[in-house]
Amino acid sequence: MKWKSQIQNLKAYQPGKTMDDVKELFNLEKVVKLASNENPFGCSRNVENYLKNNALSHALYPDGYAKELRFKVAEHLSVEPGQLLFGNGSDEVIEIISRALLDGGKSTVMATPTFPQYKHNAIVEGSEVREVPLDAEGKHQLAKMLEEIDDTTSVVWLCSPNNPTGEYIRNGELISFLDAVPAHVLVVLDEAYYEYVVADDYYDSLELLKSYPQLLITRTFSKAYGLAGFRVGFGIGNKDIIGKLEPIREPFNNNTLAQGAASAAIEDQAFIDECRRENRKGLEQYYRFCEEHGLSYVPSQANFILIDFGVSGDEVFQYLMSKGYIVRSGEALGYPHSVRITVGSHDQNEEVIEKMTEFLLLQKQA
């Protein structure tokens, strides 16, 4: 087999243990998953009603243009339908962009640590990856990222709020960056956690899109909308860019149920508003815990928090998992002494905070 040389040592995505796995491993009756930044409140009742009332013929292909969903999203965002690119999760939108713009003669620039699929897809396409470390506060170093851009650079990736830190790019910083980026470079602004942002100085990316034609925004229904199991993401860009990307998209990449669920979900913005409010309350629970115990953390604009425990993140992860709480070790995220915890319901947060407090007590006694 003539495999691409760049994939010889590439590892497949390794999902964490399922809740059933953890129940069996530790003989537990209850397990709470706070590892993948899913919505602890589920999804809108609109989606539940849609699924209940729509008996679909599964022998037919879905709408390859996702017309109903496309027009609803376009109306909600006040953009034109032709400015949207739909994917099987925003992961596929990232893959489409990479397939279209990256190859062995191109370079791509991104922060580190950040969402790993940017780098993964760049490697698959044989592109040179240029990573710029986040600063001590977990922020993008945009000036240094600009220094990495040259004539070979095809795509720059910005994740804001960033995964795994929850930090975000300020409005003025982003405008200055976009002003300096060469016209031949596509700037991908990943806003997977957009609906959770409350910061006053967060930018309006849809307004920026009108002034910067090389900008492309990605969003998803997997986080605040609570539809991670349906895999619906989308890109927003100018028509010329979307027109170049559309031929690379698989013809029927969003299934019928997913399209209908997302169409129902976007009509219930009251649900999104409530999730945003509850998420802020949950973050405050974690902030208080960290401040009471003198732990460093990154203030978050997303639905997760990165906490530094000063010991191996794997150690904290294993302890919490043994107690029935699945979080994400920072060992695999570029923060080896931290864990990333998805903000859950009030009670879930209190429960995992209690177990983390127990862990800290055991550390003091050791």
Side-chain angles (χ1 to χ4, degrees), residues 64-301:
Y65 190 62
K67 183 176 180 180
E68 180 184 3
L69 176 59
R70 180 179 298 273
F71 276 77
K72 285 188 176 181
V73 172
E75 180 181 12
H76 175 65
L77 299 178
S78 298
V79 300
E80 296 182 37
Q83 290 183 262
L84 298 171
L85 172 73
F86 287 92
N88 185 33
S90 56
D91 285 6
E92 189 189 19
V93 177
I94 294 166
E95 181 181 30
I96 290 170
I97 295 166
S98 301
R99 191 175 178 191
L101 288 164
L102 299 178
D103 59 34
K106 306 284 195 328
S107 66
T108 182
V109 178
M110 64 197 69
T112 185
T114 192
F115 187 53
Q117 288 304 301
Y118 315 144
K119 182 176 182 178
H120 179 91
N121 281 286
I123 291 172
V124 171
E125 300 303 331
S127 177
E128 178 190 352
V129 177
R130 299 175 181 173
E131 296 178 287
V132 177
L134 301 173
D135 70 12
E137 297 178 332
K139 298 177 182 177
H140 283 71
Q141 298 196 76
L142 296 180
K144 291 186 178 181
M145 293 181 76
L146 281 172
E147 293 174 1
E148 294 296 328
I149 296 173
D150 60 22
D151 290 342
T152 70
T153 306
S154 189
V155 184
V156 173
W157 308 89
L158 304 175
C159 188
S160 176
N162 187 47
N163 180 8
T165 60
E167 252 292 346
Y168 68 104
I169 299 171
R170 278 67 175 168
N171 181 59
E173 297 170 341
L174 182 57
I175 291 174
S176 296
F177 180 80
L178 292 172
D179 284 339
V181 173
H184 70 270
V185 176
L186 180 70
V187 177
V188 180
L189 192 54
D190 186 341
E191 295 184 336
Y193 302 95
Y194 165 80
E195 289 81 8
Y196 289 109
V197 176
V198 298
D200 292 336
D201 54 353
Y202 193 71
Y203 50 81
D204 184 338
S205 57
L206 295 178
E207 278 299 311
L208 292 176
L209 192 60
K210 299 173 184 177
S211 301
Y212 300 96
Q214 79 271 43
L215 181 64
L216 190 145
I217 303 155
T218 65
R219 293 185 185 175
T220 183
F221 282 90
S222 294
K223 305 304 180 184
Y225 286 97
L227 299 182
F230 285 100
R231 311 304 298 126
V232 182
F234 57 99
I236 316 158
N238 74 61
K239 285 185 175 181
D240 290 340
I241 289 177
I242 297 300
K244 291 292 186 183
L245 296 173
E246 271 287 357
I248 300 168
R249 179 180 62 82
E250 294 293 331
F252 304 107
N253 58 334
N254 291 119
N255 69 68
T256 302
L257 284 174
Q259 291 182 34
S263 296
I266 203 166
E267 293 183 336
D268 189 359
Q269 290 302 307
F271 173 78
I272 298 299
D273 292 342
E274 181 63 19
C275 289
R276 184 186 302 112
R277 286 191 292 269
E278 290 301 313
N279 185 68
R280 298 318 301 179
K281 293 178 184 177
L283 283 168
E284 291 296 332
Q285 290 175 267
Y286 289 104
Y287 295 165
R288 288 193 296 270
F289 162 75
C290 291
E291 287 157 9
E292 287 171 5
H293 296 279
L295 299 177
S296 297
Y297 66 94
V298 181
S300 177
Q301 290 294 321

